Amino acid sequence: RHPTKRYERRSLENIRHLVISHSAIPGTVHPAAIARFHVERVQWPGIGYHFYIDSQGRIYKTNELSVAPFHVGPWDRVSIGICVGGNFEDQIPTSPQIKSTAWLAAWLLHELGLPLDAIVGKNELVLADSPGHQWLSGQNWKRILTERVSALSLAWEQND
């Protein structure tokens, strides 16, 4: 965390999107290294995401949901930032990453009362390469992810 700068806080009722990004660096890089880069080089208050998922599928909570970190410009205050570690221009996330991202997204949708179409890639909201060319075309990992989220969400609804 930056020694003096802090991200704004917001009400959870304002959240409308789960924004998926990729780190564009290997998924083996620990989120602490990304946080150091964001703080020391970019001069942000802290890491710019709420969650980071490494190549093994481990989920790191990097900010409270009530915090509005910098991850998608004008949409920061109304979105949850989920960064999947790796570069998905030519490939898609690992199977453990897809499973963990789907579980996390399904849980967040359930907790926040959001519909499935709240899941968007950063490149669907702002001009960006993230979460890679394979998000909406090629291997279309958005489709893979949302199918898994939908199945998980259905199972949770049946158990409510």
Side-chain angles (χ1 to χ4, degrees), residues 18 104-115 153 156-157 160:
L18 306 182
L104 176 61
W107 177 76
L108 287 166
L109 292 178
H110 181 76
E111 290 296 306
L112 299 168
L114 297 174
S153 296
W156 282 355
E157 286 173 15
D160 274 351

Side-chain angles (χ1 to χ4, degrees), residues 18 98-119 144-160:
L18 306 182
I98 295 277
K99 288 178 185 174
S100 294
T101 306
W103 182 90
L104 176 61
W107 177 76
L108 287 166
L109 292 178
H110 181 76
E111 290 296 306
L112 299 168
L114 297 174
L116 185 63
D117 65 2
I119 300 171
I144 295 167
L145 178 66
T146 55
E147 285 174 359
R148 286 187 182 232
V149 170
S150 184
L152 285 167
S153 296
L154 237 159
W156 282 355
E157 286 173 15
Q158 291 173 349
N159 290 326
D160 274 351

Side-chain angles (χ1 to χ4, degrees), residues 12-35:
L12 297 185
E13 290 81 35
N14 293 335
I15 297 169
R16 297 288 170 258
H17 301 286
L18 306 182
V19 178
I20 309 295
S21 299
H22 71 178
S23 64
I25 57 175
T28 53
V29 173
H30 195 275
I34 297 170

Side-chain angles (χ1 to χ4, degrees), residues 70-132:
F70 304 149
H71 65 101
V72 69
W75 301 92
D76 292 340
R77 294 193 50 76
V78 296
S79 63
I80 300 293
I82 301 170
C83 181
V84 182
N87 187 329
F88 306 120
E89 294 299 316
D90 300 318
Q91 60 188 19
I92 64 172
T94 65
S95 180
Q97 284 177 308
I98 295 277
K99 288 178 185 174
S100 294
T101 306
W103 182 90
L104 176 61
W107 177 76
L108 287 166
L109 292 178
H110 181 76
E111 290 296 306
L112 299 168
L114 297 174
L116 185 63
D117 65 2
I119 300 171
V120 295
K122 180 176 182 175
N123 59 4
E124 294 178 73
L125 297 177
V126 297
L127 185 60
D129 290 330
S130 186

Side-chain angles (χ1 to χ4, degrees), residues 127-143:
L127 185 60
D129 290 330
S130 186
H133 296 306
Q134 300 302 313
W135 176 248
L136 293 173
S137 61
Q139 296 179 63
N140 194 340
W141 70 278
K142 179 178 184 176
R143 180 188 48 76

